[in-house]
Amino acid sequence: MNVVTISAPGPSVTVQDLGRPGQMAFGLSQGGAMDRLALAEAAAVLRSPRILPALEMAGMGARFRVAQKTRFALTGAPMQATLDAQPLAWHGVHVIEPGQELRIAGASSGVYGYLTFAGGLKAPDILGSQSSHVTAGIGTVLKDGDQLSIADDPNPDEAMLGIQPNARFDGGTLRFMPGPQTDLFDKETLEALCATEFRRSVQANRQGIRLDHPNARFQSELAAGLASDFIMAGDIQLTGDGIPYVLMSECQTVGGYPRIGTVIAQDLPKLAQAPLRSELKLQLISIEEATKLAAKEETQMSALRAKATPRVRDPRDISDLLSYQLISGVTRGDELEDET
Amino acid sequence: MARAPEILPFGPNGLLIRFALQASPEANSAVRSFLDALHDVNIPGIVQKAGSLVSVYVEYVSTETTRDAVYSAVSELLATQDWLASEKPAPTRLWHIPVAFGGEMGPQLDETAELTGQSAEQAIKDLCEADVEVMTIGFSPGQPYVGLLPEHWNMPRQSEINPRVPAGALVAAVRQLVLFNEVSATGWRHIGQTAFRPFFNDRQTPILLKSGDAIKFHAVSASEMTTLLGNNPEGLGGARCEVLS
């Protein structure tokens, strides 16, 4: 069994997998990674048959050391990463050995970066998942000096793969389907919502992300006195002041504010990764279309595996780059002119 | 707006069967009776069922069934009876939970009693004699919504949010009581303290309460509660479960 030691973590480095489905009756939302696609990409580049529990880093990473050699994948929001001061390419696999230090600093675009070790983390399993669900009192954010077990790399000689990530690090359009309370809103409100250009608010965390607009407000006259009812990740909740707030991984399981629809699971990574103030729009799609898209997602893993290919050697990965003879035959630069 | 109950979309793989938009004893009985019936008929492909105050949620796996198939099965079951007229299912378990009411352990007891038009002593008697049940579990893990209290407890949530009530706080609003698992902010009024933790990771059964469980509160003194809070390795806080036949 291998061990990773974490130093100087950013404010929200947590263990995340796909969370705990099926616990609504107990008051526990599914939780899990904010960008589930990043976990799938990590599994693809590590050639892992299953999604592996990973370290999710919000905005800022940490420093890592390991007890044994292992491959690891860097996916999700690209962050400044170095191994013993040598820059590492994001969206791919690298190897770390005992004595080396992996440093992951700030995100250059997007929000949530993921560090996945080839064997997977072995944090305590609670209700079938290793995910921290801090809101629910499960697990915690990692602190300086924390150590986590990781399973041994099952195939250390595997090729170093990389992947071209699906674009999702600069906002865009979020598709949503009608939900149980869509009919509480009139058609004009729904149309106005879809025509509005929002920006990702500073009020955003693993529970939910607010969509800002200087003056657009969306309200329902039928909202007063509503019984608290089930909510799920993706629900677009309109709080008392009419500002949309999209519920994310660590949402509660019931809420009293009306919800105008549900952002489909495929577009939640785009919202999770939307940088502060980036532009976001909402687009209503039919239930049939949402169902079709959900079915398509089941084939996602094989598509990602096909996209994971040996990394083209990035000059930034070549540790002794300066010793290479990169330019041979330096000339004055005007010889050709002389010849013509 | 269509007539209740309505079958509504809830996410790409879910349906919500909603019996009312506002909480009522009839809607909650309908939810629980319908959930029981769903357990009995066992619709193929359903992986999750849960009941809120007014709705039943079913989640299915799209590789095993379709929205149309689940919709048909659910509407067929809905048509078998008038669920809003159903009898409340009899509880199978009764939880006895010690509570310290008023004083520092329930600073809003006096104002709450006043809103219910009675003295603090009468309010405590009301709460300890009330025939109440867990109406739903929700918001955070294991957290019970307990009710319904008599009509004179139908006071709204306060307009000011109470920024901090402790873990184990018993709070009241709209004929219901909530027992907080963790330190919370709330618009409900803080009337008592328990040492009962509805969710406790290190306990063999982390989540103890279930929808439909009957609850009986037992008033204890502040010093007794301090003792319970001080020696509480399992987070039970002196609570015990009586199995009803």
Side-chain angles (χ1 to χ4, degrees):
Chain A
M1 185 73 75
N2 198 350
V3 172
V4 57
T5 304
I6 294 133
S7 325
S12 178
V13 177
T14 57
V15 177
Q16 295 299 336
D17 52 26
L18 297 178
R20 302 171 179 83
Q23 306 288 332
M24 287 279 263
F26 306 106
L28 178 60
S29 58
Q30 181 162 345
M34 287 287 276
D35 179 357
R36 302 158 85 84
L37 181 56
L39 296 190
E41 287 169 347
V45 292
L46 288 166
R47 291 218 164 120
S48 168
R50 61 184 181 99
I51 299 282
L52 298 162
L55 288 166
E56 178 181 279
M57 305 168 284
M60 178 63 69
R63 303 204 301 257
F64 305 91
R65 286 177 180 276
V66 295
Q68 288 169 39
K69 180 177 172 180
T70 179
R71 289 174 301 142
F72 63 92
L74 300 172
T75 58
M79 297 173 136
Q80 310 290 336
T82 57
L83 187 64
D84 280 353
Q86 297 301 322
L88 296 182
W90 206 261
H91 309 302
V93 178
H94 304 274
V95 171
I96 181 170
E97 299 193 25
Q100 290 187 306
E101 185 178 67
L102 169 65
R103 286 190 182 215
I104 301 179
S108 51
S109 63
V111 178
Y112 292 95
Y114 293 83
L115 166 59
T116 310
F117 293 99
L121 291 169
K122 299 281 268 181
D125 187 302
I126 295 165
L127 296 167
S129 161
Q130 297 182 25
S131 280
S132 282
H133 192 310
V134 177
T135 316
I138 298 174
T140 178
V141 296
L142 294 171
K143 301 179 303 296
D144 186 63
D146 278 351
Q147 292 193 317
L148 290 168
S149 297
I150 43 183
D152 292 333
D153 189 339
N155 195 357
D157 300 323
E158 185 64 75
M160 300 293 119
L161 303 185
I163 193 163
Q164 180 66 38
N166 290 5
R168 60 181 188 283
F169 304 113
D170 53 2
T173 299
L174 309 170
R175 293 163 293 180
F176 72 101
M177 62 174 278
Q181 296 176 328
T182 304
D183 287 348
L184 300 184
F185 294 86
D186 57 36
K187 193 161 159 273
E188 291 71 34
T189 305
L190 203 53
E191 280 170 2
L193 182 88
C194 294
T196 303
E197 284 183 4
F198 295 100
R199 284 182 184 274
R200 196 267 213 177
S201 171
V202 66
Q203 288 194 27
N205 55 30
R206 288 182 43 81
Q207 285 173 268
I209 296 174
R210 205 172 81 167
L211 306 184
D212 280 343
H213 187 275
N215 47 42
R217 297 289 179 268
F218 310 92
Q219 269 150 342
S220 160
E221 285 171 12
L222 299 166
L226 277 183
S228 293
D229 207 350
F230 286 121
I231 55 181
M232 63 162 65
D235 274 8
I236 307 162
Q237 174 177 273
L238 292 155
T239 47
D241 47 13
I243 297 171
Y245 180 88
V246 184
L247 297 162
M248 300 298 283
S249 291
E250 286 188 18
C251 60
Q252 319 101 19
T253 62
V254 296
Y257 292 117
R259 282 149 287 128
I260 202 163
T262 308
V263 175
I264 61 171
Q266 293 86 334
D267 287 354
L268 289 179
K270 192 190 286 179
L271 175 57
Q273 297 289 15
L276 180 63
R277 312 301 304 153
S278 58
E279 278 183 25
L280 292 163
K281 285 200 72 174
L282 292 164
Q283 181 197 349
L284 181 63
I285 62 172
S286 67
I287 298 165
E288 292 68 31
E289 202 175 336
T291 307
K292 239 181 262 167
L293 287 165
K296 214 168 111 189
E297 205 188 8
E298 274 145 27
T299 60
Q300 172 194 276
M301 202 59 235
S302 53
L304 289 177
R305 286 188 205 290
K307 264 175 73 179
T309 48
R311 249 173 339 104
V312 176
R313 202 169 183 210
D314 188 317
R316 286 182 298 174
D317 292 352
I318 303 171
S319 57
D320 49 355
L321 185 67
L322 292 179
S323 68
Y324 279 67
Q325 177 72 7
L326 295 175
I327 306 163
S328 59
V330 174
T331 69
R332 274 196 335 271
D334 57 357
E335 299 94 334
L336 292 174
E337 289 171 35
D338 288 350
E339 282 167 19
T340 54
Chain B
M1 203 74 27
R3 277 175 54 86
E6 297 172 89
I7 308 176
L8 301 153
F10 190 38
N13 297 322
L15 293 174
L16 194 76
I17 300 97
R18 187 168 66 203
F19 292 94
L21 276 172
Q22 300 184 342
S24 70
E26 293 76 21
N28 195 237
S29 293
V31 165
R32 281 159 46 192
S33 310
F34 190 68
L35 257 185
D36 284 351
L38 268 180
H39 282 294
D40 294 343
V41 299
N42 201 12
I43 299 172
I46 290 189
V47 287
Q48 161 157 238
K49 322 181 223 338
S52 72
L53 293 171
V54 293
S55 308
V56 170
Y57 166 48
V58 295
E59 185 191 355
Y60 52 87
V61 195
S62 60
T63 46
E64 288 173 31
T65 185
T66 63
R67 176 178 292 270
D68 289 347
V70 176
Y71 190 101
S72 308
V74 164
S75 32
E76 205 172 294
L77 185 59
L78 269 182
T80 56
Q81 70 176 77
D82 179 2
W83 298 91
L84 283 160
S86 51
E87 287 280 308
K88 190 169 71 173
T92 56
R93 307 194 300 177
L94 169 60
W95 288 89
H96 297 270
I97 301 177
V99 187
F101 289 101
E104 278 181 17
M105 293 194 166
Q108 291 175 293
L109 176 68
D110 289 345
E111 63 171 88
T112 305
E114 205 177 314
L115 286 167
T116 65
Q118 53 193 346
S119 69
E121 290 70 31
Q122 284 167 322
I124 294 173
K125 192 160 174 279
D126 248 14
L127 294 168
C128 292
E129 289 178 356
D131 172 22
V132 287
E133 293 177 4
V134 176
M135 298 176 71
T136 188
I137 300 283
F139 194 80
S140 77
Q143 182 174 305
Y145 286 70
V146 177
L148 282 170
L149 293 166
E151 183 56 40
H152 55 271
W153 284 85
N154 198 3
M155 57 191 169
R157 299 167 180 84
Q158 8 175 45
S159 46
E160 294 284 298
I161 295 283
N162 194 339
R164 189 184 186 280
V165 298
L170 188 70
V171 299
V174 289
R175 296 181 67 189
Q176 293 166 58
L177 299 163
V178 160
L179 208 169
F180 278 111
N181 198 63
E182 299 284 341
V183 172
S184 298
T186 180
W188 297 37
R189 288 183 172 81
H190 182 197
I191 60 170
Q193 173 72 47
T194 74
F196 182 74
R197 300 289 299 272
F199 175 67
F200 198 71
N201 250 344
D202 298 335
R203 190 165 53 203
Q204 195 179 359
T205 311
I207 291 171
L208 291 175
L209 300 175
K210 285 197 294 226
S211 278
D213 284 352
I215 302 283
K216 191 157 181 59
F217 295 111
H218 296 267
V220 300
S221 68
S223 67
E224 284 172 286
M225 185 49 58
T226 305
T227 308
L228 285 172
L229 286 164
N231 181 20
N232 201 17
E234 291 273 280
L236 284 169
R240 65 188 175 83
C241 179
E242 181 186 337
V243 176
L244 305 174
S245 49

